[in-house]
Structure formats: structure tokens, C-alpha cells
Amino acid sequence: MSIFERMKQGATEAARKVEQTVEISKLKSQISTREKEIDRLYARTGKAVYDAYSRGDLSRSETEVMDYCEQLSDLHEDIKLIQEKITNIKLEKSCSACGKIVPVNARFCPDCGKKFPEDDEKPQESTVGEIRVLCAVCGTENDIGARYCVECGNELSPAAGDRSKPNDPAGDSIV
């Protein structure tokens, strides 16, 4: 590959990353707007309950409070959907067992070893310039801190997951 092709590839990748960052920023702004509205609704709910309490009849606020609660539920659901969009843009998913955010094509969680459902798989773009750990069993690249392979679930060597205890090639701890 010539230097010009590499520069073109780098520029294309940089443009894609900028576009991704802009889209994520827009979505985070939408979340922020909804969170502010949630705070306003909490305040309105509290005021409606207190006003009814002051009048000595809490049942008067029931309809108003129920309306606010429905709006709150809708806003929380909107936020959840927006967060899913952000996760999809980042090509990530979350482990249902431990909550770890992992690449979308991971078959096993690198923290707890849980297998992901097969229908969850989507292709992931390769990462450039990151330090990766290769699985001894299947050869898949894993994050440096991974304890389990994202492809086959094999436990990675302690040195891969714990950089504080490096091993020499003979397997003995280096002091």
C-alpha cells in the first residue's frame, strides 16, 4: 500500500470517526433535554401532591400526578432508546450478567465469560493502534484487560488480564 493510499485511508477513517462523534453528541444532547424535562415533571408532581395535601384532600391530585407519571415513563423510555442508538453507533453491546460494555461482535463477555446469544452478532470494524491480546485457542484479538476471549470464551492468561503480574516466557513470575 502506497503512502498516499494510507493517507487517504487515514483521512477516511478520521472523517468517519468525526461523523460518529457528532452523531453521538447530538444524541447525548437529546438525552440531556429529556433529563431536564424529567426534573421539571418531578417538581410539578411534588407541587401537585403538596397542594392537594395543603387542601386536605390528596385524591384531588391523583389525575394530575398520574398524567405526570405517564409523561415520566415516556421520557425514561425515550432515553433508553437513545442510549441504545448510541451503543449501536459505537458498535457495542452490554453484557446482561455483569453490565460490561463489549464490542458488538463479541460472543463471550471478557469480564465474566458469559456467552452472548448468537442472533446478537453484527460485523465490527477493526481497531487500529490499540494493544490487543490474542487468544491461544482461537487466535481472536481481545482487549488488553480481558479475562475471557470474546470469541470462544477461553480464559486468557493472567498476564493478559492483569498487567501488574507479568510472566516471563517460562511461566514464572517476574519480580
Side-chain angles (χ1 to χ4, degrees), residues 7-136:
M7 289 174 56
K8 182 179 176 184
Q9 182 182 14
T12 302
E13 178 65 19
R16 187 191 63 75
K17 292 251 184 212
V18 166
E19 185 177 309
Q20 179 184 40
T21 301
V22 167
E23 183 65 23
I24 290 170
S25 294
K26 286 179 184 177
L27 292 170
K28 286 183 177 182
S29 175
Q30 291 176 11
I31 289 173
S32 178
T33 300
R34 282 164 179 77
E35 288 172 339
K36 288 175 185 172
E37 183 60 25
I38 286 171
D39 290 341
R40 283 189 218 103
L41 285 170
Y42 283 148
R44 289 179 189 159
T45 303
K47 183 175 180 344
V49 170
Y50 181 74
D51 288 347
Y53 169 79
S54 296
R55 289 178 284 200
D57 186 9
L58 284 175
S59 63
R60 288 181 158 185
S61 67
E62 185 177 349
T63 305
E64 189 176 6
V65 169
M66 290 301 289
D67 182 51
Y68 291 148
C69 288
E70 288 175 15
Q71 290 177 43
L72 285 165
S73 292
D74 291 344
L75 288 169
H76 284 292
E77 185 61 30
D78 285 351
I79 289 173
K80 183 179 175 186
L81 293 173
I82 294 169
Q83 288 171 332
E84 287 175 10
K85 285 180 186 178
I86 290 172
T87 301
N88 289 337
I89 289 171
K90 289 181 173 181
L91 297 173
E92 296 174 335
K93 62 184 174 184
S94 177
C95 176
S96 61
C98 69
K100 172 81 173 172
I101 302 296
V102 298
V104 74
N105 67 342
R107 294 178 54 205
F108 292 86
C109 177
D111 266 11
C112 70
K114 181 185 183 302
K115 184 172 177 29
F116 291 107
E118 293 296 324
D119 58 4
D120 243 4
E121 291 187 35
K122 296 177 188 171
Q124 181 189 8
E125 299 171 17
S126 63
T127 55
V128 178
E130 293 182 10
I131 298 174
R132 311 294 274 172
V133 176
L134 295 178
C135 175

Side-chain angles (χ1 to χ4, degrees), residues 158-160 162-168 173-174:
D162 184 3
R163 296 173 58 188
S164 64
K165 299 177 184 175
N167 291 330
D168 69 8
S173 273
I174 299 173

